[in-house]
Every structure is written in structure tokens, then in C-alpha cells.
Amino acid sequence: MQKKPLQCQFVAALDSIVGKWKPIILYHLLQGKPLRFNELRRLLPGITQRMLTLHLRELEEEELVNRVIYPQIPPKVEYSITEYGMSLSPVLEALHQWGAAHVERKQLKKETNEQKETD
Amino acid sequence: MQKKPLQCQFVAALDSIVGKWKPIILYHLLQGKPLRFNELRRLLPGITQRMLTLHLRELEEEELVNRVIYPQIPPKVEYSITEYGMSLSPVLEALHQWGAAHVERKQLKKETNEQKETD
DNA sequence: CATTACAGTACCTTTTTTCATACCATACCA
DNA sequence: TGGTATGGTATGAAAAAAGGTACTGTAATG
């Protein structure tokens, strides 16, 4: 029992989280407010409809995201974070913070290099 | 100033961390002990030399990992976490913990389903 | 003399992921 | 009557990531 103790946990976690847009989708939904398909699309400039659909389906399958269809015309579909999805909050928060620091660090380094060049 | 506030931070963070093997490599190196190329290889069953080399090079470029060559024969190359790399510790720890819970949850669900089938 | 260990590189193939378009049905608005 | 908004699907192409195999040079081991 308990084989592949380490990497599988990572792999399992990352499979659910990773994808070019998944963390950002989750981050937005973790704000609490359910979002419609096109609302999400506007929040993710550059994403195609196809990619958004695919990623949302995967997140739904992982039970991280709820999908509720309102039988209206024009259609209305709302996506929201599930209770289980909320358990990702600390992970994404940590990631987000580190990302911010990382960007800042890179920026600083770039500026330092530009300084050197003008010397 | 301060455009693309959210997703770029995520993307930047994930670019550094993501890759099929990077988180696991980092996790092992975060244990503190420097590891040789083949030591790492043994810790990552299934990885090819090529993939390990590529990922280590990328991590080195991001300054998350040190690469020290000892001019010996047979060669000895040690990889260790950098100080900057250590700042990833909380992120990976959160990820790792969530991954563990995630795997457990999946396991539980699978068992429940198998129960139903034998009823 | 052949094998193994070390830390890779080179080259090519396969798989996965992403992108770009076009298309669907319906309703509302001008 | 034509355009817009809604939430998608279908299809094929392109790009990115990963994998597979063979090969390098030196030294110690059997």
C-alpha cells in the first residue's frame, strides 16, 4: 500500500489546477460571485471560447466548479466555485502572492540591467 | 502602470513551477540536501535523462536551483535549491497538502462506487 | 576485455495543448 | 430586415511538451 507516495500527490493536484487558464478561472470564481460564461470570457482576455469551455468542463468534472443552466433564451449558464473548490483557496493564494513577488523581482532585475547598459 | 494585474502574476508563477516534473524536483531539493543528477533521477521514476536535464536547466535559469560542477572523473554535478527557490516552499507545501487530500478523496469515492456495484 | 556508473547531448517521433474559423438556435433591438 | 448577444460545438492546423533511442568519454570494477 501507499505506493508512489510523493509525486502522485503533486501530479494529482497539478492535474486539477494546471492548464493555461485554470488557475485564473478558479481565482476569479473564488471571489465568491457566480459568473456567466461571457463574464468569465471578458475577465480572461485572450482566451478562446473553446478553451474556456474545455477548461470549465474539466473543472466541473473535478467537482471544483458548479455549472448551472437556466432554461432561458438567450441561454444563461452560471459557474461558481464548489465547497470543495474553496479548499484550493490557500494554494491559489500562495501561488498568487509568490507570482506577484516573482514579477516584481524580474522587473527589478531588468531595470538593473538597463542601468548597466547606459553606463 | 500596473497593467494585467491578475493573470500575469499567476502565469509568471506557473511558468516557473509548472512542467510535468518541476514541482517534484523542487520538492525534493527543498528537503535541503543537494542531490546529484542520478540521485534525482532515481527519485523520479519514469523521467528520462533528457527531461531531467531540460527541467533542471530551466530551473537554473530561473535561479531557483544551483548547479555546481565538480571537475572529477567520473563527473559529479550537484543540484541544490537557491535561497530564492526556498521562497517557493509555502507554495509547494500548500500544493502538496492539497494534493494528498485530493488523492484521498478520489480514493474514497472510488471505493464508494465499488460498494454500490457489489450491492 | 566487457560492463557499469557518471552526466549529459543529438536526433527524431509522438502526444498533448492551444489556436483559428466557421457554424448553430433563439430572442431582442433598431 | 439586419445586427447583436447568448453559450456553446465542429473541424482542422499549428505549436508546445514530452518521450525514445542512441551516443559520448573516462575510470573503476569484475
Side-chain angles (χ1 to χ4, degrees):
Chain A
M1 272 298 134
Q2 214 197 342
K3 269 206 171 170
K4 303 184 194 169
L6 258 182
Q7 51 253 66
C8 276
Q9 293 168 9
F10 267 122
V11 171
L14 287 167
D15 273 357
S16 306
I17 296 173
V18 163
K20 187 164 177 186
W21 307 93
K22 277 192 204 170
I24 312 170
I25 293 172
L26 287 169
Y27 189 86
H28 283 299
L29 291 179
L30 273 168
Q31 306 302 307
K33 212 182 110 206
L35 294 170
R36 298 179 64 173
F37 187 85
N38 277 338
E39 281 180 310
L40 270 169
R41 194 142 82 100
R42 281 186 286 268
L43 287 171
L44 309 174
I47 199 171
T48 58
Q49 274 182 310
R50 179 184 159 71
M51 280 298 106
L52 183 52
T53 303
L54 287 179
H55 279 132
L56 284 170
R57 288 295 186 286
E58 283 176 38
L59 291 171
E60 194 193 350
E61 196 142 319
E62 301 268 6
E63 298 179 52
L64 296 170
V65 161
N66 287 315
R67 177 166 180 258
V68 179
I69 306 168
Y70 295 86
Q72 304 179 352
I73 282 168
K76 174 176 172 183
V77 181
E78 267 190 356
Y79 295 90
S80 57
I81 197 88
T82 63
E83 201 160 326
Y84 182 48
M86 290 199 219
S87 69
L88 270 174
S89 181
V91 179
L92 289 174
E93 199 47 53
L95 198 57
H96 183 236
Q97 273 184 28
W98 189 85
H102 187 58
V103 167
E104 211 167 287
R105 182 189 146 102
K106 274 195 171 168
Q107 192 58 37
L108 260 168
K109 218 179 148 191
K110 207 174 124 195
E111 282 167 15
T112 314
N113 281 347
E114 277 162 9
Q115 274 279 309
K116 269 187 197 154
E117 275 167 29
T118 52
D119 280 0
Chain B
M1 275 292 138
Q2 212 195 345
K3 268 205 174 173
K4 303 183 196 172
L6 258 183
Q7 51 252 64
C8 276
Q9 292 168 10
F10 268 123
V11 171
L14 286 168
D15 273 357
S16 307
I17 294 173
V18 164
K20 188 166 175 184
W21 305 95
K22 276 190 204 169
I24 312 171
I25 294 172
L26 287 168
Y27 188 86
H28 283 298
L29 291 178
L30 273 169
Q31 306 303 307
K33 211 182 109 204
L35 294 170
R36 298 179 63 172
F37 186 84
N38 277 339
E39 281 180 311
L40 270 169
R41 193 142 80 102
R42 281 187 286 268
L43 287 172
L44 309 175
I47 198 171
T48 59
Q49 276 182 309
R50 178 186 158 71
M51 281 298 106
L52 183 52
T53 304
L54 286 177
H55 278 132
L56 284 170
R57 288 293 186 288
E58 284 176 37
L59 291 171
E60 194 193 350
E61 196 141 316
E62 300 267 7
E63 298 179 55
L64 297 170
V65 161
N66 288 315
R67 179 166 178 257
V68 180
I69 305 169
Y70 296 86
Q72 304 178 354
I73 282 168
K76 174 176 170 182
V77 180
E78 268 190 355
Y79 294 90
S80 58
I81 197 87
T82 63
E83 200 159 330
Y84 182 48
M86 290 201 223
S87 70
L88 269 174
S89 181
V91 179
L92 288 174
E93 198 47 54
L95 199 57
H96 183 237
Q97 272 184 26
W98 189 85
H102 188 58
V103 166
E104 211 168 288
R105 182 189 147 100
K106 274 195 172 168
Q107 192 59 35
L108 260 169
K109 219 180 148 191
K110 207 174 124 195
E111 282 169 12
T112 314
N113 282 347
E114 278 161 10
Q115 274 279 310
K116 269 186 198 156
E117 275 166 30
T118 52
D119 281 359

